[in-house]
Amino acid sequence: DRQLTQKEEMGMKIYVQQDCSYCHQVLGEGGRRVGPDISNLKAKGRTPEYLARFVKDPQAESRFAAMPKYDLKQDELLALADFMLAMDFSETGWRRKSKESVVEQLEKEAGQDSGK
């Protein structure tokens, strides 16, 4: 397992705060499958810039997007994008984990930094 970068950790916190796991899966588990599985975005050739634009205004990138707009600062959008791209498990060597264990870890780490 590799450590997340500081920017990826910021993105992880945003992912938890915005409840992204409600719609998105990780490694095919959890979520409602309304949105794509975030563990395969890098394999699809997505860039941080594209993901930031998509999260900010999904319908501007795809008229078929069901995702709402997110009013986040540009640095937050890019951090979230970096976190999503870090979920490429084939390159990081991370083992397959259940969505629950990933979300639990994300929430635990986010709580530690907020003083909970």
Side-chain angles (χ1 to χ4, degrees):
D1 294 355
R2 75 166 180 86
Q3 288 287 101
L4 293 176
T5 66
Q6 187 174 4
K7 192 172 178 184
E8 291 166 351
E9 285 185 17
M10 178 181 167
M12 174 188 68
K13 291 173 191 167
I14 295 164
Y15 185 86
V16 171
Q17 292 166 350
Q18 298 298 322
D19 203 19
C20 300
S21 64
Y22 183 77
C23 294
H24 295 276
Q25 295 187 318
V26 176
L27 293 172
E29 297 193 25
R32 296 182 61 209
R33 288 197 59 125
V34 175
D37 187 318
I38 68 160
S39 59
N40 66 3
L41 297 177
K42 192 170 188 177
K44 289 184 176 182
R46 302 296 190 232
T47 64
E49 295 78 16
Y50 171 82
L51 291 172
R53 286 192 318 269
F54 192 93
V55 171
K56 182 175 183 145
D57 188 0
Q59 291 74 30
E61 296 299 318
S62 171
R63 65 184 179 144
F64 303 107
M67 185 169 141
K69 294 179 182 180
Y70 284 87
D71 187 27
L72 299 170
K73 296 175 188 171
Q74 187 64 20
D75 65 324
E76 294 172 323
L77 291 165
L78 290 170
L80 179 59
D82 282 355
F83 170 70
M84 291 188 290
L85 291 171
M87 295 293 101
D88 186 292
F89 296 94
S90 64
E91 291 188 16
T92 63
W94 288 5
R95 298 174 301 280
R96 182 175 174 88
K97 298 179 181 179
S98 71
K99 180 248 182 188
E100 291 79 14
S101 68
V102 171
V103 169
E104 180 180 310
Q105 180 65 29
L106 295 176
E107 289 173 344
K108 178 182 175 186
E109 291 177 14
Q112 289 174 349
D113 290 332
S114 67
K116 290 183 180 177

